[in-house]
Amino acid sequence: MRCVVEWSHLSHPEKRACARFSALPMSLSQSLLLIVALILTSAFFSVAEISLAASRRLRLRQMMEDGEPRAELVMKMQAQPGEYFTVTQIGLNAVAILGGVVGEGALTPYLAELLMLWLPESRAQTVGFLLSFASVTSLFILFADLLPKRLSMAEPEALAIRVLRPMLWCMAVLKPLVWCFNHLADAVAKLFGLPTVRDDRITHEDILAMTEAGARAGVLAAKEQQVIANLFELDSRTIGSAMTQRDRIAYFHRDDPDELIRVRIAEEPFSTYPVCDGDIDHIVGYVDAKDLFQRALNNQPLSLMDDSLVHKVLVVPDRLTLAEVLEQFRQVHEDFAVIVNEYSLVVGVVTLNDVMSTVMGGLVSPGDEEQILRRDENSWLIDGVTPVEDVMQALELDELPHSEDYETLGGFLMVMLRRIPRRTDTVQWGGYRFEVMDVDSYRIDQVLVTRMSGSSPAAPPNAGDTAAAVAKVSSMSPDTSS
């Protein structure tokens, strides 16, 4: 650097400052080049550290299948990253210390000599050091830390495979230091019981979080994301959430005449009908509708006394999950089952289509009557037999009280009221008002659910609490008719 003012116009102190400034051993350009080199070195180690930590194994596996051999090396390094991260930390800390020393020694003299034109020498030295420290620190924070780490988080896999080879060279050169620090770190981790191996297990919560993020980003449609969520609920949802209730089962008696069978098929067309001996609690098998249609088309009599027409039925307990029911269907090669409770009483029937409809949700059977009908932004009309899982999902509720005691919305209201609900009975919970709109023979047909403004969710009740502790009940009419 040169003094750009005319020499004759300077005072004696100014001439002395310019003389000192021009006599410095290292030029400013050389100092800046050295700082830039240190910044680039630190940026390399930052990229190497963050890109390996942020790389997704699913994405790396896909890159490996597409013909990228370095992706496999990155996955192996993720499995045992100790030496890799030791090298990055040695590099980052060494460059940081060297950058502080070089930065202070490179810039402080120039800034101090320049400031002597206006400040006393001691103060100029202090201010020059502070300015040098702030400048070098800012450059390192911006270009050696923030920008490299942001870039590494955006494209971790692509950067990880690019910096892997240079990092392997560094690991070979620094092998003695790496061995020393690794053993020290392992000893400290063992002393405090800290984990040293990365856990790469993927849970269903991880997958659901990814699909929800994909739905928010527009990669997945909302209904597609819901299908994935429903699939993971098969292990937790009981068979009662998908079955046809006992009072809605269309069935035949073994001794039903031909004319009655034909009328029943016309009035209640289903693919499968249970066949009973006396009453519905004594099911002896089932008959397939296509077998009945084939006989009808061939003008053959329809008699359920024919054993070749009645198939053996699968009977399952009512406490199975939907995943367990699917496994039962797979083992016996059936798609229809009768559900009984602990007293061997029939509580419903379920088909493979019922289970798959639970998974597929709104993607299938668009013509069927919806159990949950949204009237407006703050109100829903819900069938009383709707599974509580679907109700909680529609209302965005995390839990319902005593959820282990019931499976449907009607069961929820019975537990909350502690009696058979009557029309106009209401229950308030979680910021919603549940009002019974229609009751048919003690069965709740329709419930109007309304979001209450300014309400906060209530706390779950204790098992011994009365209904008043968890719900506000108003019996405006004693009428129980529909």
Side-chain angles (χ1 to χ4, degrees):
M1 181 176 286
R2 299 174 304 185
C3 190
V4 297
V5 296
E6 198 170 330
W7 183 267
S8 59
H9 294 167
L10 296 177
S11 63
H12 181 70
E14 292 172 339
K15 289 179 180 179
R16 184 175 60 182
C18 279
R20 292 179 180 175
F21 191 74
S22 61
L24 292 171
M26 182 182 291
S27 66
L28 183 60
S29 60
Q30 292 173 325
S31 301
L32 293 178
L33 285 175
L34 183 56
I35 292 175
V36 169
L38 292 173
I39 289 176
L40 292 177
T41 304
S42 182
F44 166 78
F45 286 114
S46 294
V47 169
E49 180 184 29
I50 299 301
S51 61
L52 183 73
S55 292
R56 296 157 292 187
R57 294 187 67 85
L58 291 176
R59 175 61 178 155
L60 290 171
R61 190 173 292 110
Q62 181 181 357
M63 295 173 68
M64 183 180 65
E65 294 173 354
D66 292 340
E68 176 54 72
R70 292 174 295 180
E72 184 178 3
L73 295 177
V74 174
M75 287 193 294
K76 291 181 179 179
M77 194 62 67
Q78 281 186 331
Q80 296 291 336
E83 294 187 2
Y84 186 97
F85 285 133
T86 301
V87 171
T88 60
Q89 292 306 308
I90 291 174
L92 288 171
N93 286 278
V95 171
I97 295 172
L98 187 59
V101 174
V102 172
E104 190 276 333
L107 297 182
T108 300
Y110 292 97
L111 295 174
E113 291 291 344
L114 183 62
L115 292 171
M116 284 181 191
L117 298 175
W118 301 280
L119 299 174
E121 183 175 355
S122 60
R123 182 169 296 181
Q125 289 286 347
T126 303
V127 176
F129 169 77
L130 293 175
L131 290 177
S132 174
F133 174 79
S135 301
V136 174
T137 302
S138 299
L139 291 173
F140 268 85
I141 290 175
L142 180 60
F143 295 105
D145 194 59
L146 291 181
L147 291 180
K149 288 182 178 179
R150 289 188 181 183
L151 182 62
S152 300
M153 292 299 296
E155 296 288 340
E157 298 84 12
L159 291 175
I161 63 176
R162 284 177 171 82
V163 302
L164 182 62
R165 294 294 184 185
M167 282 298 300
L168 292 176
W169 298 337
C170 294
M171 290 168 63
V173 172
L174 299 174
K175 190 70 174 180
L177 282 176
V178 170
W179 183 89
C180 178
F181 283 113
N182 266 348
H183 281 72
L184 289 174
D186 291 341
V188 173
K190 185 177 181 180
L191 178 63
F192 291 99
L194 302 176
T196 58
V197 179
R198 173 172 171 161
D199 186 2
D200 287 316
R201 291 175 300 177
I202 299 177
T203 65
H204 72 274
E205 288 87 0
D206 299 327
I207 298 176
L208 289 178
M210 293 174 63
T211 58
E212 289 173 1
R216 288 193 296 268
V219 178
L220 280 177
K223 289 185 177 180
E224 294 172 346
Q225 190 274 330
Q226 189 57 55
V227 168
I228 298 174
N230 291 341
L231 188 62
F232 282 106
E233 290 180 357
L234 291 180
D235 284 326
S236 59
R237 295 185 67 158
T238 61
I239 194 173
S241 64
M243 71 180 183
T244 299
Q245 304 289 335
R246 175 190 175 101
D247 60 341
R248 296 187 177 185
I249 299 176
Y251 62 93
F252 296 123
H253 290 97
R254 191 74 183 262
D255 57 354
D256 280 345
D258 180 288
E259 297 78 9
L260 180 59
I261 295 175
R262 293 175 185 269
V263 171
R264 177 65 58 82
I265 293 175
E267 292 179 349
E268 300 178 282
F270 293 102
S271 61
T272 307
Y273 298 89
V275 178
C276 304
D277 186 7
D279 56 50
I280 194 174
D281 291 318
H282 295 83
I283 295 179
V284 297
Y286 74 92
V287 60
D288 200 317
K290 65 182 180 181
D291 294 336
L292 297 176
F293 293 153
Q294 185 175 5
R295 292 205 173 195
L297 291 175
N298 293 331
N299 293 321
Q300 295 178 338
L302 304 181
S303 174
L304 300 180
M305 301 300 293
D306 187 352
D307 291 337
S308 64
L309 197 61
V310 179
H311 305 283
K312 185 178 180 180
V313 67
L314 172 65
V315 181
V316 297
D318 61 350
R319 289 304 170 185
L320 293 184
T321 64
L322 293 183
E324 292 171 329
V325 173
L326 285 177
E327 180 62 21
Q328 294 265 6
F329 284 154
R330 187 191 66 82
Q331 290 178 355
V332 300
H333 305 287
E334 288 285 355
D335 58 4
F336 175 80
V338 173
I339 307 166
V340 298
N341 61 15
E342 59 184 311
Y343 304 106
S344 298
L345 300 177
V346 174
V347 296
V349 296
V350 67
T351 66
L352 179 61
N353 184 61
D354 294 332
V355 179
M356 298 313 299
S357 296
T358 302
V359 174
M360 301 304 292
L363 291 181
V364 297
S365 304
D368 293 346
E369 182 179 357
E370 297 183 9
Q371 288 185 315
I372 302 177
L373 178 62
R374 186 160 191 168
R375 300 171 68 245
D376 53 44
E377 184 178 354
N378 295 310
S379 65
W380 296 259
L381 192 62
I382 305 179
D383 195 306
V385 297
T386 304
V388 290
E389 292 89 352
D390 295 339
V391 175
M392 292 167 60
Q393 180 179 302
L395 303 181
E396 298 181 351
L397 286 172
D398 293 331
E399 62 176 352
L400 287 174
H402 302 308
S403 57
E404 69 280 359
D405 295 337
Y406 50 84
E407 296 174 345
T408 66
L409 178 60
F412 161 72
L413 293 173
M414 289 182 183
V415 169
M416 297 295 285
L417 293 168
R418 301 296 178 183
R419 57 175 171 78
I420 301 298
R422 296 188 289 266
R423 193 170 59 184
T424 70
D425 281 351
T426 62
V427 169
Q428 294 182 9
W429 174 265
Y432 292 92
R433 183 174 184 267
F434 300 82
E435 182 178 359
V436 180
M437 302 298 294
D438 192 16
V439 178
D440 182 15
S441 300
Y442 306 109
R443 184 178 65 83
I444 300 174
D445 270 347
Q446 298 290 335
V447 179
L448 178 63
V449 182
T450 307
R451 180 185 286 117
M452 299 182 298
S453 59
S455 298
S456 58
N462 295 323
D465 291 345
T466 61
V470 295
K472 177 181 178 182
V473 181
S474 60
S475 302
M476 300 177 62
S477 170
D479 186 11
T480 60
S481 63
S482 59

Short mmCIF file of all heavy atoms in Angstrom, two decimals, residues 278-317:
data_model
loop_
_atom_site.label_atom_id
_atom_site.label_comp_id
_atom_site.label_asym_id
_atom_site.label_seq_id
_atom_site.Cartn_x
_atom_site.Cartn_y
_atom_site.Cartn_z
N GLY A 278 -81.81 -70.76 13.20
CA GLY A 278 -82.66 -70.29 14.28
C GLY A 278 -82.56 -68.78 14.46
O GLY A 278 -83.54 -68.06 14.29
N ASP A 279 -81.38 -68.28 14.87
CA ASP A 279 -81.22 -66.84 15.04
C ASP A 279 -79.81 -66.43 14.61
O ASP A 279 -78.98 -67.28 14.28
CB ASP A 279 -81.51 -66.41 16.48
CG ASP A 279 -80.64 -67.14 17.49
OD1 ASP A 279 -79.40 -67.19 17.29
OD2 ASP A 279 -81.18 -67.68 18.47
N ILE A 280 -79.56 -65.13 14.66
CA ILE A 280 -78.29 -64.62 14.14
C ILE A 280 -77.09 -65.04 14.97
O ILE A 280 -75.94 -65.01 14.48
CB ILE A 280 -78.36 -63.07 14.04
CG1 ILE A 280 -77.19 -62.56 13.18
CG2 ILE A 280 -78.36 -62.44 15.42
CD1 ILE A 280 -77.25 -61.07 12.91
N ASP A 281 -77.31 -65.43 16.21
CA ASP A 281 -76.19 -65.87 17.05
C ASP A 281 -75.78 -67.31 16.77
O ASP A 281 -74.84 -67.81 17.40
CB ASP A 281 -76.55 -65.71 18.53
CG ASP A 281 -76.65 -64.26 18.93
OD1 ASP A 281 -75.78 -63.48 18.50
OD2 ASP A 281 -77.59 -63.90 19.66
N HIS A 282 -76.45 -67.98 15.85
CA HIS A 282 -76.10 -69.35 15.48
C HIS A 282 -75.85 -69.40 13.97
O HIS A 282 -76.65 -69.95 13.20
CB HIS A 282 -77.20 -70.34 15.88
CG HIS A 282 -77.40 -70.44 17.35
ND1 HIS A 282 -78.17 -69.53 18.06
CD2 HIS A 282 -76.92 -71.32 18.27
CE1 HIS A 282 -78.16 -69.86 19.35
NE2 HIS A 282 -77.41 -70.94 19.51
N ILE A 283 -74.76 -68.78 13.56
CA ILE A 283 -74.40 -68.75 12.15
C ILE A 283 -73.68 -70.04 11.79
O ILE A 283 -72.70 -70.43 12.43
CB ILE A 283 -73.50 -67.53 11.84
CG1 ILE A 283 -74.30 -66.23 12.07
CG2 ILE A 283 -72.98 -67.57 10.43
CD1 ILE A 283 -73.50 -64.98 11.82
N VAL A 284 -74.18 -70.71 10.74
CA VAL A 284 -73.60 -71.99 10.32
C VAL A 284 -72.70 -71.84 9.11
O VAL A 284 -71.98 -72.79 8.75
CB VAL A 284 -74.71 -73.01 10.03
CG1 VAL A 284 -75.50 -73.30 11.30
CG2 VAL A 284 -75.64 -72.51 8.93
N GLY A 285 -72.73 -70.70 8.46
CA GLY A 285 -71.90 -70.48 7.28
C GLY A 285 -72.33 -69.22 6.56
O GLY A 285 -73.03 -68.36 7.13
N TYR A 286 -71.93 -69.13 5.32
CA TYR A 286 -72.33 -67.97 4.51
C TYR A 286 -72.55 -68.44 3.08
O TYR A 286 -72.02 -69.48 2.64
CB TYR A 286 -71.29 -66.86 4.56
CG TYR A 286 -70.02 -67.12 3.77
CD1 TYR A 286 -69.91 -66.70 2.45
CD2 TYR A 286 -68.95 -67.79 4.35
CE1 TYR A 286 -68.74 -66.93 1.73
CE2 TYR A 286 -67.79 -68.03 3.63
CZ TYR A 286 -67.69 -67.60 2.32
OH TYR A 286 -66.56 -67.85 1.59
N VAL A 287 -73.32 -67.64 2.35
CA VAL A 287 -73.59 -67.93 0.96
C VAL A 287 -73.14 -66.75 0.13
O VAL A 287 -73.34 -65.59 0.49
CB VAL A 287 -75.09 -68.22 0.74
CG1 VAL A 287 -75.95 -67.03 1.14
CG2 VAL A 287 -75.35 -68.59 -0.72
N ASP A 288 -72.51 -67.06 -1.01
CA ASP A 288 -72.02 -66.02 -1.91
C ASP A 288 -73.13 -65.62 -2.87
O ASP A 288 -73.81 -66.48 -3.45
CB ASP A 288 -70.81 -66.56 -2.69
CG ASP A 288 -69.97 -65.43 -3.25
OD1 ASP A 288 -70.55 -64.46 -3.77
OD2 ASP A 288 -68.73 -65.50 -3.16
N ALA A 289 -73.32 -64.32 -3.05
CA ALA A 289 -74.41 -63.83 -3.91
C ALA A 289 -74.25 -64.31 -5.34
O ALA A 289 -75.24 -64.59 -6.02
CB ALA A 289 -74.45 -62.31 -3.86
N LYS A 290 -73.01 -64.44 -5.81
CA LYS A 290 -72.83 -64.86 -7.21
C LYS A 290 -73.29 -66.29 -7.42
O LYS A 290 -73.77 -66.64 -8.52
CB LYS A 290 -71.37 -64.68 -7.62
CG LYS A 290 -70.39 -65.56 -6.90
CD LYS A 290 -68.97 -65.27 -7.36
CE LYS A 290 -67.97 -66.17 -6.61
NZ LYS A 290 -66.57 -65.89 -7.03
N ASP A 291 -73.19 -67.14 -6.37
CA ASP A 291 -73.70 -68.51 -6.49
C ASP A 291 -75.22 -68.50 -6.58
O ASP A 291 -75.82 -69.29 -7.34
CB ASP A 291 -73.26 -69.34 -5.29
CG ASP A 291 -71.76 -69.55 -5.24
OD1 ASP A 291 -71.12 -69.46 -6.32
OD2 ASP A 291 -71.21 -69.78 -4.14
N LEU A 292 -75.85 -67.61 -5.81
CA LEU A 292 -77.31 -67.50 -5.88
C LEU A 292 -77.74 -66.97 -7.24
O LEU A 292 -78.72 -67.47 -7.84
CB LEU A 292 -77.81 -66.58 -4.77
CG LEU A 292 -77.56 -67.05 -3.33
CD1 LEU A 292 -78.04 -65.98 -2.35
CD2 LEU A 292 -78.27 -68.38 -3.06
N PHE A 293 -77.04 -65.99 -7.77
CA PHE A 293 -77.39 -65.43 -9.07
C PHE A 293 -77.23 -66.47 -10.18
O PHE A 293 -78.06 -66.56 -11.10
CB PHE A 293 -76.50 -64.22 -9.39
CG PHE A 293 -76.74 -63.05 -8.49
CD1 PHE A 293 -75.73 -62.13 -8.24
CD2 PHE A 293 -77.97 -62.84 -7.90
CE1 PHE A 293 -75.94 -61.05 -7.41
CE2 PHE A 293 -78.19 -61.76 -7.07
CZ PHE A 293 -77.17 -60.86 -6.81
N GLN A 294 -76.18 -67.28 -10.08
CA GLN A 294 -75.96 -68.30 -11.09
C GLN A 294 -77.10 -69.32 -11.11
O GLN A 294 -77.58 -69.73 -12.17
CB GLN A 294 -74.62 -68.99 -10.84
CG GLN A 294 -74.23 -69.98 -11.92
CD GLN A 294 -72.84 -70.56 -11.69
OE1 GLN A 294 -72.21 -70.27 -10.69
NE2 GLN A 294 -72.38 -71.39 -12.62
N ARG A 295 -77.54 -69.70 -9.93
CA ARG A 295 -78.65 -70.65 -9.85
C ARG A 295 -79.94 -70.01 -10.35
O ARG A 295 -80.75 -70.68 -11.02
CB ARG A 295 -78.83 -71.14 -8.42
CG ARG A 295 -77.70 -72.02 -7.94
CD ARG A 295 -78.14 -72.93 -6.84
NE ARG A 295 -77.11 -73.89 -6.48
CZ ARG A 295 -77.33 -74.97 -5.75
NH1 ARG A 295 -78.56 -75.23 -5.30
NH2 ARG A 295 -76.35 -75.81 -5.48
N ALA A 296 -80.13 -68.73 -10.01
CA ALA A 296 -81.35 -68.05 -10.45
C ALA A 296 -81.38 -67.94 -11.97
O ALA A 296 -82.43 -68.13 -12.60
CB ALA A 296 -81.44 -66.67 -9.81
N LEU A 297 -80.21 -67.62 -12.59
CA LEU A 297 -80.16 -67.50 -14.04
C LEU A 297 -80.37 -68.85 -14.73
O LEU A 297 -80.87 -68.91 -15.86
CB LEU A 297 -78.81 -66.91 -14.46
CG LEU A 297 -78.57 -65.44 -14.08
CD1 LEU A 297 -77.16 -65.01 -14.43
CD2 LEU A 297 -79.59 -64.53 -14.78
N ASN A 298 -80.01 -69.93 -14.06
CA ASN A 298 -80.20 -71.26 -14.63
C ASN A 298 -81.55 -71.88 -14.25
O ASN A 298 -81.77 -73.07 -14.49
CB ASN A 298 -79.08 -72.18 -14.16
CG ASN A 298 -77.73 -71.78 -14.71
OD1 ASN A 298 -77.65 -71.21 -15.80
ND2 ASN A 298 -76.67 -72.08 -13.96
N ASN A 299 -82.41 -71.02 -13.63
CA ASN A 299 -83.76 -71.46 -13.24
C ASN A 299 -83.71 -72.65 -12.27
O ASN A 299 -84.57 -73.53 -12.29
CB ASN A 299 -84.60 -71.83 -14.47
CG ASN A 299 -84.89 -70.62 -15.32
OD1 ASN A 299 -85.16 -69.53 -14.80
ND2 ASN A 299 -84.84 -70.80 -16.65
N GLN A 300 -82.69 -72.64 -11.40
CA GLN A 300 -82.58 -73.66 -10.38
C GLN A 300 -83.15 -73.13 -9.07
O GLN A 300 -83.09 -71.93 -8.80
CB GLN A 300 -81.11 -74.07 -10.18
CG GLN A 300 -80.49 -74.74 -11.38
CD GLN A 300 -79.02 -75.07 -11.15
OE1 GLN A 300 -78.37 -74.46 -10.30
NE2 GLN A 300 -78.50 -76.04 -11.90
N PRO A 301 -83.73 -73.98 -8.24
CA PRO A 301 -84.29 -73.51 -6.96
C PRO A 301 -83.18 -73.05 -6.01
O PRO A 301 -82.07 -73.59 -6.01
CB PRO A 301 -85.01 -74.75 -6.42
CG PRO A 301 -84.33 -75.90 -7.08
CD PRO A 301 -83.92 -75.42 -8.45
N LEU A 302 -83.50 -72.06 -5.21
CA LEU A 302 -82.56 -71.52 -4.23
C LEU A 302 -82.90 -72.12 -2.88
O LEU A 302 -83.86 -71.72 -2.22
CB LEU A 302 -82.64 -69.99 -4.18
CG LEU A 302 -82.42 -69.25 -5.49
CD1 LEU A 302 -82.51 -67.73 -5.28
CD2 LEU A 302 -81.07 -69.62 -6.09
N SER A 303 -82.10 -73.07 -2.46
CA SER A 303 -82.32 -73.73 -1.18
C SER A 303 -81.02 -73.73 -0.40
O SER A 303 -79.98 -74.22 -0.89
CB SER A 303 -82.79 -75.18 -1.39
OG SER A 303 -82.87 -75.86 -0.16
N LEU A 304 -81.05 -73.20 0.80
CA LEU A 304 -79.86 -73.12 1.64
C LEU A 304 -79.63 -74.41 2.43
O LEU A 304 -78.66 -74.49 3.19
CB LEU A 304 -79.98 -71.93 2.60
CG LEU A 304 -80.13 -70.57 1.90
CD1 LEU A 304 -80.24 -69.45 2.94
CD2 LEU A 304 -78.94 -70.30 0.99
N MET A 305 -80.48 -75.40 2.23
CA MET A 305 -80.25 -76.69 2.84
C MET A 305 -79.17 -77.46 2.08
O MET A 305 -78.67 -78.47 2.55
CB MET A 305 -81.55 -77.51 2.87
CG MET A 305 -82.67 -76.82 3.66
SD MET A 305 -82.23 -76.51 5.39
CE MET A 305 -82.14 -78.19 6.00
N ASP A 306 -78.84 -76.97 0.89
CA ASP A 306 -77.80 -77.58 0.08
C ASP A 306 -76.42 -77.20 0.64
O ASP A 306 -76.03 -76.02 0.61
CB ASP A 306 -77.94 -77.11 -1.37
CG ASP A 306 -76.98 -77.84 -2.31
OD1 ASP A 306 -76.12 -78.59 -1.80
OD2 ASP A 306 -77.10 -77.64 -3.53
N ASP A 307 -75.69 -78.18 1.15
CA ASP A 307 -74.39 -77.89 1.78
C ASP A 307 -73.37 -77.36 0.78
O ASP A 307 -72.41 -76.69 1.18
CB ASP A 307 -73.85 -79.17 2.45
CG ASP A 307 -74.67 -79.55 3.67
OD1 ASP A 307 -75.32 -78.66 4.24
OD2 ASP A 307 -74.64 -80.75 4.05
N SER A 308 -73.52 -77.68 -0.50
CA SER A 308 -72.57 -77.19 -1.50
C SER A 308 -72.73 -75.69 -1.74
O SER A 308 -71.83 -75.05 -2.29
CB SER A 308 -72.76 -77.94 -2.82
OG SER A 308 -74.06 -77.69 -3.35
N LEU A 309 -73.86 -75.14 -1.32
CA LEU A 309 -74.09 -73.70 -1.51
C LEU A 309 -73.62 -72.88 -0.32
O LEU A 309 -73.29 -71.69 -0.45
CB LEU A 309 -75.58 -73.46 -1.75
CG LEU A 309 -75.99 -72.11 -2.34
CD1 LEU A 309 -75.37 -71.91 -3.71
CD2 LEU A 309 -77.52 -72.03 -2.43
N VAL A 310 -73.59 -73.48 0.85
CA VAL A 310 -73.23 -72.79 2.09
C VAL A 310 -71.76 -73.09 2.41
O VAL A 310 -71.37 -74.25 2.54
CB VAL A 310 -74.13 -73.20 3.26
CG1 VAL A 310 -73.71 -72.47 4.54
CG2 VAL A 310 -75.58 -72.91 2.92
N HIS A 311 -70.97 -72.04 2.54
CA HIS A 311 -69.54 -72.18 2.81
C HIS A 311 -69.27 -72.00 4.31
O HIS A 311 -70.00 -71.31 5.02
CB HIS A 311 -68.73 -71.13 2.03
CG HIS A 311 -68.99 -71.15 0.55
ND1 HIS A 311 -68.46 -72.09 -0.29
CD2 HIS A 311 -69.77 -70.33 -0.22
CE1 HIS A 311 -68.86 -71.85 -1.52
NE2 HIS A 311 -69.67 -70.80 -1.51
N LYS A 312 -68.16 -72.61 4.73
CA LYS A 312 -67.74 -72.47 6.12
C LYS A 312 -67.32 -71.03 6.38
O LYS A 312 -66.57 -70.44 5.60
CB LYS A 312 -66.60 -73.42 6.43
CG LYS A 312 -66.18 -73.42 7.89
CD LYS A 312 -65.08 -74.43 8.15
CE LYS A 312 -64.65 -74.42 9.61
NZ LYS A 312 -63.57 -75.40 9.88
N VAL A 313 -67.76 -70.48 7.49
CA VAL A 313 -67.52 -69.07 7.77
C VAL A 313 -66.35 -68.91 8.74
O VAL A 313 -66.13 -69.73 9.63
CB VAL A 313 -68.78 -68.39 8.34
CG1 VAL A 313 -69.12 -68.93 9.71
CG2 VAL A 313 -68.62 -66.87 8.36
N LEU A 314 -65.60 -67.83 8.55
CA LEU A 314 -64.51 -67.48 9.47
C LEU A 314 -65.08 -66.66 10.63
O LEU A 314 -65.75 -65.64 10.40
CB LEU A 314 -63.44 -66.67 8.73
CG LEU A 314 -62.32 -66.07 9.58
CD1 LEU A 314 -61.47 -67.17 10.22
CD2 LEU A 314 -61.45 -65.14 8.73
N VAL A 315 -64.83 -67.11 11.85
CA VAL A 315 -65.32 -66.42 13.05
C VAL A 315 -64.11 -65.86 13.80
O VAL A 315 -63.15 -66.58 14.08
CB VAL A 315 -66.11 -67.37 13.95
CG1 VAL A 315 -66.62 -66.61 15.19
CG2 VAL A 315 -67.27 -67.98 13.18
N VAL A 316 -64.17 -64.56 14.11
CA VAL A 316 -63.04 -63.90 14.78
C VAL A 316 -63.57 -63.12 15.99
O VAL A 316 -64.73 -62.68 16.01
CB VAL A 316 -62.30 -62.93 13.82
CG1 VAL A 316 -61.68 -63.69 12.66
CG2 VAL A 316 -63.23 -61.83 13.32
N PRO A 317 -62.73 -62.94 17.01
CA PRO A 317 -63.15 -62.16 18.19
C PRO A 317 -63.17 -60.67 17.88
O PRO A 317 -62.50 -60.19 16.96
CB PRO A 317 -62.08 -62.49 19.23
CG PRO A 317 -60.89 -62.91 18.44
CD PRO A 317 -61.41 -63.57 17.20
#
